[in-house]
Amino acid sequence: MKKFIVTILIFTTTLPYSLNAQQISSKSYNNEYIHEDFKGNNTKFKIVTSNDNYFILDQGDYLLSRNNNETEYAIIVDNSKISDFVLKTGIKIGPSENKKASLGIILKSQIDGKGAVIFEINKQGEYRVKQLVGNVYQALSSDKNKGWVKSSLINGIDKKNLVEIRSEKNIYEVYTNGKYL
């Protein structure tokens, strides 16, 4: 019944976007806009303890436990508008009785909450990329299985996934565990 997430990073912008693959160099991006190591009390991510949500800092990790299996929950980090970037983070999904448990990274969320790009992984070693348009999600990664795609590059339960997402001129590349996804 619980879903665990180690970290989520979110960038905000109001630009339109599309998903394509090409070589985007990470060497061009050396300005740091968000750095979070979850070791201090000044985290940009909220700490919550309620019946539905338990979000805490735990030995350098941001631990999220959700008891509500019926709804999704997004944590939005306030940040400047960034259009081109390289995001590097580690995420890990813990054991859960919820067969649909997943976690992800929200990119380029619009201020009004009516648009975003989301990269997610689940317990079955699958990933998906979806786009929020208005109040509706559209799968971008596949037309089948609600957008979920099986990949040997996605580590399973209780194993960290190193994720690097590169965005340049609204073109995205996703790398997991050092390999192009």
Side-chain angles (χ1 to χ4, degrees):
M1 294 223 171
K2 293 184 181 177
K3 186 181 338 185
F4 294 93
I5 302 173
V6 174
T7 184
I8 298 177
L9 294 178
I10 294 99
F11 290 90
T12 305
T13 188
T14 56
L15 299 175
Y17 31 82
S18 64
L19 188 67
N20 298 304
Q22 77 173 34
Q23 293 287 356
I24 299 172
S25 171
S26 64
K27 295 177 183 172
S28 302
Y29 299 95
N30 36 5
N31 291 337
E32 198 169 90
Y33 292 96
I34 292 179
H35 175 87
E36 182 62 70
D37 61 8
F38 301 111
K39 294 188 179 180
N41 292 331
N42 296 329
T43 181
K44 293 171 180 57
F45 295 81
K46 57 183 162 183
I47 306 302
V48 176
T49 54
S50 69
N51 288 337
D52 284 345
N53 301 311
Y54 183 69
F55 307 164
I56 62 165
L57 296 180
D58 182 33
Q59 298 177 0
D61 288 334
Y62 185 48
L63 175 67
L64 286 78
S65 176
R66 300 254 5 252
N67 293 322
N68 184 335
N69 293 337
E70 303 303 316
T71 62
E72 294 182 348
Y73 192 88
I75 298 168
I76 306 296
V77 175
D78 186 30
N79 193 31
S80 62
K81 296 177 179 164
I82 302 169
S83 59
D84 296 343
F85 59 85
V86 173
L87 178 146
K88 295 180 182 181
T89 191
I91 57 177
K92 177 172 59 172
I93 192 164
S96 171
E97 293 176 16
N98 181 355
K99 292 180 182 177
K100 295 180 182 179
S102 66
L103 65 102
I105 302 164
I106 301 172
L107 306 160
K108 295 192 175 186
S109 66
Q110 294 179 0
I111 293 170
D112 63 4
K114 304 268 185 203
V117 173
I118 299 101
F119 171 76
E120 292 178 281
I121 65 171
N122 66 20
K123 298 183 334 178
Q124 289 76 34
E126 298 171 320
Y127 74 92
R128 77 174 163 191
V129 178
K130 63 185 182 180
Q131 179 180 17
L132 176 63
V133 179
N135 293 326
V136 178
Y137 288 108
Q138 298 173 345
L140 300 176
S141 48
S142 174
D143 293 334
K144 301 175 185 173
N145 194 24
K146 296 184 179 181
W148 290 108
V149 178
K150 184 77 170 166
S151 175
S152 61
L153 299 178
I154 304 296
N155 291 329
I157 297 170
D158 274 341
K159 294 183 181 169
K160 188 180 224 178
N161 286 278
L162 300 176
V163 177
E164 181 175 329
I165 300 175
R166 300 175 186 179
S167 175
E168 187 172 273
K169 297 177 184 161
N170 294 314
I171 297 171
Y172 295 86
E173 290 182 353
V174 179
Y175 295 82
T176 56
N177 301 309
K179 297 194 176 163
Y180 178 73
L181 185 64

